[in-house]
Amino acid sequence: MSIATPDVATSPAFKVADISLAESGRHQIRLAENEMPGLMSLREEFGPSQPLAGARIAGSLHMTVQTAVLIETLVALGAQVRWASCNIFSTQDEAAAAIAVGPTGTPAEPAGVPVFAWKGETLDEYWWCTDRIFDWSAEASAQGADFTGPNLILDDGGDATLLVHKGREFELAGAVPETTDADSHEYSVILGLLRRSLATSTDRWTTVAAELQGVTEETTTGVHRLYELARNGELLFPAINVNDSVTKSKFDNKYGIRHSLPDGLNRATDVLIGGKVAFVVGYGDVGKGAAEALRGQGARVIVSEVDPICALQAAMDGYQVARLESVVSEVDIFVTGTGNLGVIRPEHMLEMKHLAIVANVGHFDNEIDMTGLEKIEGVEKVEIKPQVHEWRLPTGRSILVLSEGRLMNLGNATGHPSFVMSNSFTNQVLAQIELWVSNDNYPIGVYVLPKHLDEKVARLHLDALGVELTELSPEQAAYIGVSVEGPYKVDHYRY
Amino acid sequence: MSIATPDVATSPAFKVADISLAESGRHQIRLAENEMPGLMSLREEFGPSQPLAGARIAGSLHMTVQTAVLIETLVALGAQVRWASCNIFSTQDEAAAAIAVGPTGTPAEPAGVPVFAWKGETLDEYWWCTDRIFDWSAEASAQGADFTGPNLILDDGGDATLLVHKGREFELAGAVPETTDADSHEYSVILGLLRRSLATSTDRWTTVAAELQGVTEETTTGVHRLYELARNGELLFPAINVNDSVTKSKFDNKYGIRHSLPDGLNRATDVLIGGKVAFVVGYGDVGKGAAEALRGQGARVIVSEVDPICALQAAMDGYQVARLESVVSEVDIFVTGTGNLGVIRPEHMLEMKHLAIVANVGHFDNEIDMTGLEKIEGVEKVEIKPQVHEWRLPTGRSILVLSEGRLMNLGNATGHPSFVMSNSFTNQVLAQIELWVSNDNYPIGVYVLPKHLDEKVARLHLDALGVELTELSPEQAAYIGVSVEGPYKVDHYRY
Amino acid sequence: MSIATPDVATSPAFKVADISLAESGRHQIRLAENEMPGLMSLREEFGPSQPLAGARIAGSLHMTVQTAVLIETLVALGAQVRWASCNIFSTQDEAAAAIAVGPTGTPAEPAGVPVFAWKGETLDEYWWCTDRIFDWSAEASAQGADFTGPNLILDDGGDATLLVHKGREFELAGAVPETTDADSHEYSVILGLLRRSLATSTDRWTTVAAELQGVTEETTTGVHRLYELARNGELLFPAINVNDSVTKSKFDNKYGIRHSLPDGLNRATDVLIGGKVAFVVGYGDVGKGAAEALRGQGARVIVSEVDPICALQAAMDGYQVARLESVVSEVDIFVTGTGNLGVIRPEHMLEMKHLAIVANVGHFDNEIDMTGLEKIEGVEKVEIKPQVHEWRLPTGRSILVLSEGRLMNLGNATGHPSFVMSNSFTNQVLAQIELWVSNDNYPIGVYVLPKHLDEKVARLHLDALGVELTELSPEQAAYIGVSVEGPYKVDHYRY
Amino acid sequence: MSIATPDVATSPAFKVADISLAESGRHQIRLAENEMPGLMSLREEFGPSQPLAGARIAGSLHMTVQTAVLIETLVALGAQVRWASCNIFSTQDEAAAAIAVGPTGTPAEPAGVPVFAWKGETLDEYWWCTDRIFDWSAEASAQGADFTGPNLILDDGGDATLLVHKGREFELAGAVPETTDADSHEYSVILGLLRRSLATSTDRWTTVAAELQGVTEETTTGVHRLYELARNGELLFPAINVNDSVTKSKFDNKYGIRHSLPDGLNRATDVLIGGKVAFVVGYGDVGKGAAEALRGQGARVIVSEVDPICALQAAMDGYQVARLESVVSEVDIFVTGTGNLGVIRPEHMLEMKHLAIVANVGHFDNEIDMTGLEKIEGVEKVEIKPQVHEWRLPTGRSILVLSEGRLMNLGNATGHPSFVMSNSFTNQVLAQIELWVSNDNYPIGVYVLPKHLDEKVARLHLDALGVELTELSPEQAAYIGVSVEGPYKVDHYRY
């Protein structure tokens, strides 16, 4: 049963590319479970007590095999879940199908979680999917209950959170602003969706917002938005910043990128990395992982940085640190990992070597100035294969842009591997439990998980790697002023 | 136009999986050309003089995009070519299609090179394809010429060379031996083919052998067979051992595997390599590349070796060196790179961790004892996806075997990247030219390329990497007793 | 003119091993200045404005060549200084001599800073030296001024700070406690010194404490003591925790140890590191630097950790993580870097390989249980050369203990190299300026330097390494919500 | 008892700097024995059978602690020995003293081996020492035997071999040529010595040459000379090229330099290597080890090469490959490892950064053009400490030259560590045994050791590193056509 791209006016129980992929997805989920010891341990520890009973979670996070294990863990802990992807390209169709079918269902009689995601959504479809995870009318009706939407959001990038905040804002204002030329295409899609919503209901998002007990947010970008909302007094519910758990930021960003950057480069281009000159824009955790991976494959890595501390780290790690302008014409592979905009711009692209590869593992597709690229006079875009495009420049040279400038580790590979995501997602689950079980401890604001939970996440991943942990003696613990069980470090410890 | 798997009795002009893939293949060939500066330089240097005019080359080598660039280089230098793959799984169908179509042809009117290869051949099909590259009747007839087969072989693994030698041997004997239980399935297929050949012609292979001026051989295994033939006085024509050019063995084996091993692991399993325990069997060039790649991804690498010198090298490079038996139950990823047989055996597999990955980058599928695995009582084989199989063992644990125990960098990835193959293939082309142009210099025997040609291959790849070569002054050259232009090292220099 | 070890009752203008070493020290200072661009830049920036005019700094920090550049920088910014080392073995005698002589003095007519330090002090001598930096009577008398001691402390390890706090405490109590068997030898020395002081003056330390405007502290251990004093309400003056500047902790600990650990191992033992099994206790910044250095030399590194997050980091970086007990008999080189006590104990030492090397780069000599080692029945200590001792164990095996279990990078090498110390010391100077110029901003408590100063320290070290820093455009700065000039990161950023 | 530098006319039983250093040397020898398992195993295996009984070995090789273990191994196998160093700076005085005293002697009653070596010889003294190892009159007289000199040479660099060849040549000619302006200072010293010899005896060297059964040579340079002599038909006795054993060239050159280069840099300068730009001239085994060591310390390494194969290797290993001219002004540390002359010349030095470090680990002091440096007008040489000189250039900048341009790992550190030398020296001993026991197998010519002995050397070093060697099954051995016991590789295998 193949499901066509949706008519955005209708609302089926779920929407995936091809439900028949479920069996393949189920195999992959089973293999992934072996690589996600953190989540599997939580199922074992918390399955009996069902701490998420009553929780209705709206999830907006790349609909991959790993996310499938997360979703099934949330369900195993008692939660109800609806899910959308947070990126138009990142869905693994077989994972979405398997989640829709569920472990006990069949493609003919799906018994899984409502999921709205497929690889290659349009922006209209994407925001329609995001809208769907806030419509819990079917569940309310089935349970004879009186609720409209979810009571928790599990977010990645903040799109789900944004939709609620904007929806409520425009309902309070009584109108959705006109779209202007300054608005991005994506923002005009959001405005359109909310305009249609307002035409149908004047308080849908206000009600949704009121029911929400909080959000747990996965990424730098989403966290940045949350702190801004909080600073402006606009945040509507408490938020846990999962991104800044050590076991998330240091692991997902650094070790995840170390794995998935070369994976994406290889799948996209099959170009030898060894011997090449690679340029990594930004030496935060993402850049550190990228540089290590490229060096590990024998590339010569040049780094650029704006922060003198990170620049000094790069130098001390043996990398050349240069401005992009200084070396652009010698570079074979460009990788961006800054979370900022316009770090590679048309003036750079015009100076690049023929068939230089341009890849983003940092942030949105504005990190590489794709709009600027499109506007170069005489530029021509040739699809080599999906997510790999040759842009023929008026100079006679071409460049290869991966995943349309979006996150190539998702678009050209399969995202971070399961083990990394197990770290991130174990944080997510613990954060969801915190917000659900101990909501009173979290007045509206943005929080990080307490260090003992961060250490717990790490601890749950050691056995799988054969790590033997040493135990402090009581005397040693006393000597450094900690408890034997931890936490072991002051809050500002940098790892 | 999709071509079904062949009826092995017929002989079309070419046979590929799907001729419509040619356009995609052509794009990839164009990109690969940018990564194969050695071959492109040869086209520039030798295109005008056509040194291979008159040469009829039978190629048996993985029919990948890179091989397509090799084939088109041979053609650009004047040769006629017929081609088969040398592995049942290694063909990239779009490359085969593009070669069949040719740069100037169209799928409807192919104008390329006769190619017989598709991904996933049966053994019967495989040997039929190999047979096809020796049948030059169509060319002879078209050219009004009087030849039967090729005058040069370009071989990888020695299957094409084997077929000629065995075919002639049985023709001289007047009979093909009976197949016995001791024969492998593959050998019985060869015997069958030659039996059918002998039924049709009593001197086909004898004639083919007589027309051959030599073979250039790509791999350790093929070279090993050639030296054996030469030692036994059975070699029928001169052979150039391309494998032992420094720019082949050190680059293809070490740097190629460094690239394609993690690529294959990632595409096959998406399992995080970082933090895992990896075991590399063998620390020759292949093992060195494998170990470096795995360490570069953050794995802890354990190595096994039989040669005390290589074992000491591994220790000096910081790896634990242990017998497989000593650590088998701690290992997450097993990689074989020895060129020997049975280096991972059932008794090891039964002790492995659940879902341990077993991958071969060394040699045939007997390097991992696949036959032994199949014979374990109660074993069950589940296909996760093509080339990735879970073997459920009677212990209750499973292992994941990649590419059925065959070369996983070919089966699960796309083989060595273009730049590496450019080194190997530039050696191949120079070797073909040597045998064709200077055949008198090569009485029957096995040769390596002279060092100045090996250095030339390297030299042709420097510009693309931005390498500045220093030039000796005449005084310096005299001081170390070399010429300014090289060669720079004694023959036994180890690099 | 060679000065004998001091009669601890007298108080000369300075006390060093051999004033004739001054010329050699001056050469080394000149070379070190080239490697300490941070300090040299501060001289250039602040020399004219003399921000430390009026400051009287008591310094207690390893009296090395690098410290000499620090001292002369403080003087160049207007401060008066008295100096002692903070470790009995760490003084470089030629640096002490050069500082005593001063840039413009001669051995015959010293014109430098009063310094009390020589390599190989006894504990009595050590604490006498520390006492000397608090006696500013000569300066007061020369300047016709009415002060007793310093107004700032620059401390490393907290000994100078301890002496003031204990001295004042006992003066308030009117008596120094009796020495008991539970007291360490060192503490009994301190009690003896303060007992003699109290016999002479009942308010010397009370006055000293009152004059002090603050302390800047260099190390983890010292900082730990300060936070404890602050927590208990016993801290007498504000303190700046220099240790936790990123440019200190991440650079000094990680990159400093990466350099000086192998240096110390080599000078002490000349033993090949490559191929050996090294065990690093602790994977904080020090352990990370140690492990990287050992791996960089080709050792196989095993790590132990108590903190699951750091343990997971070690695994992800490719190291085996094991308890010491599990592998002790396979290890060639033991390195401790925890800041805790008793991490290598007699029961471990008795299991070690013959001539295993035991070295501490973490903390005091209790990190390796030296007292326990001495108490092993039948143990015999043989001096191989200064700071290198063979301990013959009753098992018939020996172990080599470096620097008597104290910091071997100081005892067996020359401490961190100048460039690393330039980072630390530039933080120190900026912290001293903060406490002196902006003292009102610092009520009693423990502070870290503001991030913009931390970034400034990094910035001052980039040019020397040829690092090109990229500049944010105003649009980019706005996009990530920072100013173009920085600071660029939130306070909890981990680098 | 301190022995003054010798009056070159007298011939004592031995000549060392200070015999009282013997005890310290004996301690170091004992520790070194633990690191030289190859030599100790040979003592165990061959001690009983005394294969070197009757051998009289003249050794010319750096008189270090490791060489002391070699000498005592030769003696343990039955040889008589006389020894000189092969470098004016490389003697460790305590090792020389311990060898003179011997394991059973005392400083007052030395009972060791005649040794003529001290740190810091003049060239006159150096060649006098070399002369002494050929004068076996004392031994002959003591043994009532009729011989003049040694019957074997153990050489490093070929100076001992040169002296015999030149001595005999001039005796045959009846005259020593006049010294000319074109002769180096060193050659004029040699001519002087031989002139004095010829004045005393017309056939001393002819006799010495006739008695010699062969030489085993340690280094590239010496081997190069031997092949030249052989090519010209001038070689007087068989020679074994120990340098090209894999366990010598790959271990000593690569792993030895990896260890001793940073050791020498640190002892000489204490400059942080991390973050610096290092330039390695030459990417042979020495350069490979140097580059790896520098990268392992966090330096950014740039390599230069003349051989395109080695250049390509450097690129594939991730290093920038550039001409010295292109980057000279950005480099902090220069390292030469080519074995050629004039690879760093005055025109480069004048462009270097202030206080750039210039170090040679390759070859003679002409590798860096020291003569050219001295001739720069206005240059000034300042000794920072022994073997570390600041050369003040007319540009106002200085450079730091280590060990006067000679091998800095010997001059500034203590040479290769024991474990590395154990590999080299185990080859030496096996080669001496070959020449002594199987002399008939070696007609005049230059040989490498057979591969099974090379493998034996490796095998003898595995246990000490905890390496477990895997054993081939007979089936596996047959499959790859080797014997279970080895040798395992073809002769041209490159490792």
Side-chain angles (χ1 to χ4, degrees), chain C residues 132-203:
Chain C
R132 287 301 79 209
I133 63 174
F134 287 103
D135 178 356
W136 290 66
S137 50
E139 286 83 352
S141 138
Q143 295 160 41
D146 182 26
F147 52 76
T148 297
N151 43 31
L152 289 168
I153 299 176
L154 194 158
D155 212 354
D156 180 332
D159 281 354
T161 302
L162 172 84
L163 195 61
V164 177
H165 280 77
K166 284 291 167 193
R168 178 173 171 278
E169 176 188 337
F170 299 153
E171 286 173 1
L172 290 186
V176 174
E178 291 303 304
T179 305
T180 72
D181 283 359
D183 292 332
S184 68
H185 172 49
E186 181 151 17
Y187 193 56
S188 75
V189 169
I190 298 171
L191 293 178
L193 182 149
L194 291 176
R195 214 173 276 126
R196 289 192 298 277
S197 168
L198 191 59
T200 312
S201 155
T202 58
D203 66 352

Side-chain angles (χ1 to χ4, degrees), chain A residues 244 250 255 258 305 307 316-317 321 323 326 341 363 366 468-470 476 479 489 494-495, chain C residues 244 250 255 258 305 307 316-317 321 323 326 341 363 366 468-470 476 479 489 494-495:
Chain A
D244 286 321
K250 280 276 180 185
Y255 302 122
R258 181 177 68 181
E305 250 299 339
D307 180 329
M316 295 303 286
D317 291 346
V321 184
R323 278 183 221 100
S326 305
L341 57 73
H363 181 68
N366 59 354
E468 289 180 11
L469 202 60
T470 301
Q476 289 174 323
Y479 187 74
K489 299 290 193 300
R494 294 194 188 91
Y495 297 90
Chain C
D244 286 320
K250 281 277 180 186
Y255 301 121
R258 182 177 68 182
E305 249 299 340
D307 181 328
M316 296 302 288
D317 290 346
V321 183
R323 279 184 220 100
S326 306
L341 56 75
H363 181 67
N366 58 355
E468 289 180 11
L469 201 61
T470 301
Q476 290 174 322
Y479 188 73
K489 298 292 193 301
R494 293 193 188 89
Y495 298 89

